[in-house]
Amino acid sequence: LACGTGRMSLMLLEQNWFAKNLNSSIEAVDFSEGMLKKFEVSLHKLDEELRNKVIIQRMDLSDMNNWSAKADSSYDFVSLMEVGEFLPGFAAIVQQVSRVLRPGSLFLLSKPPEWMGALYPGRHQTAKDLKALLLKNGFESVEIKPWTERYEIVYAIKGNT
């Protein structure tokens, strides 16, 4: 989600274990036409077999009803990097991600560190609040660790319920 120029997707496509898995695919979603066009340019540098593993969809994440996600428990991994603090309806996004992830699967997201909270009035979540939201939505293991100067990385594992 919020794939931007496809940095995460392209990284996955470079992994032998991903490329060799015949059933593997990526659904890349973003609102920005410009970012998606840059992603498509990068994809065209890859061979056709890898390109065909990627479906790109333009979508506004503030309305999760637009997400043409597969059925419940059908995804192995969802990422939402460097954008959650800007999205209205963030709780609805977490709820939808929980719905589509298989038990034991990873939701990888980022959050600004606590000291940056003043920059996001009304949208910033503390680590405690974010962890509570994830646990409430079926994630059983949540780790928040330092990552970059502007973001912490959050690993949330979907529970079996």
Side-chain angles (χ1 to χ4, degrees), residues 22-83:
L22 298 177
N23 296 321
S24 65
S25 65
I26 294 172
E27 291 182 37
V29 175
D30 202 282
F31 181 71
S32 169
E33 285 184 48
M35 294 281 213
L36 293 174
K37 285 183 190 220
K38 288 179 181 179
F39 185 14
E40 288 173 347
V41 167
S42 296
L43 279 176
H44 284 288
K45 296 175 184 174
L46 303 176
D47 67 53
E48 184 177 6
E49 185 177 335
L50 286 177
R51 279 196 312 267
N52 289 338
K53 289 181 170 281
V54 181
I55 299 164
I56 294 177
Q57 179 184 359
R58 184 174 181 270
M59 188 187 94
D60 184 352
L61 290 177
S62 64
D63 184 3
M64 288 305 285
N65 293 325
N66 290 327
W67 189 19
S68 61
K70 293 179 184 173
D72 295 0
S73 301
S74 59
Y75 289 82
D76 294 315
F77 172 73
V78 173
S79 69
L80 180 68
M81 304 300 289
E82 301 176 5
V83 72

Side-chain angles (χ1 to χ4, degrees), residues 34-159:
M35 294 281 213
L36 293 174
K37 285 183 190 220
K38 288 179 181 179
F39 185 14
E40 288 173 347
V41 167
S42 296
L43 279 176
H44 284 288
K45 296 175 184 174
L46 303 176
D47 67 53
E48 184 177 6
E49 185 177 335
L50 286 177
R51 279 196 312 267
N52 289 338
K53 289 181 170 281
V54 181
I55 299 164
I56 294 177
Q57 179 184 359
R58 184 174 181 270
M59 188 187 94
D60 184 352
L61 290 177
S62 64
D63 184 3
M64 288 305 285
N65 293 325
N66 290 327
W67 189 19
S68 61
K70 293 179 184 173
D72 295 0
S73 301
S74 59
Y75 289 82
D76 294 315
F77 172 73
V78 173
S79 69
L80 180 68
M81 304 300 289
E82 301 176 5
V83 72
E85 66 276 17
F86 301 111
L87 296 171
F90 180 74
I93 293 170
V94 171
Q95 185 177 29
Q96 287 290 344
V97 168
S98 179
R99 178 185 68 80
V100 302
L101 275 175
R102 286 185 180 97
S105 295
L106 174 66
F107 181 25
L108 182 69
L109 61 154
S110 60
K111 70 170 273 324
E114 302 299 320
W115 63 267
M116 289 184 73
L119 300 175
Y120 308 103
R123 288 187 259 168
H124 175 71
Q125 290 183 316
T126 64
K128 180 181 174 183
D129 290 343
L130 179 58
K131 187 171 185 175
L133 175 66
L134 290 163
L135 292 171
K136 176 184 167 190
N137 282 280
F139 293 91
E140 63 183 19
S141 171
V142 178
E143 284 187 64
I144 302 173
K145 297 181 177 188
W147 183 41
T148 67
E149 183 178 309
R150 292 186 53 223
Y151 286 99
E152 296 173 341
I153 194 158
V154 182
Y155 302 92
I157 304 295
K158 170 79 182 286

Side-chain angles (χ1 to χ4, degrees), residues 5-19:
T5 60
R7 182 175 51 172
M8 178 77 66
S9 300
L10 293 166
M11 180 189 71
L12 284 171
L13 289 168
E14 291 175 355
Q15 305 305 308
N16 284 334
W17 57 266
F18 185 87

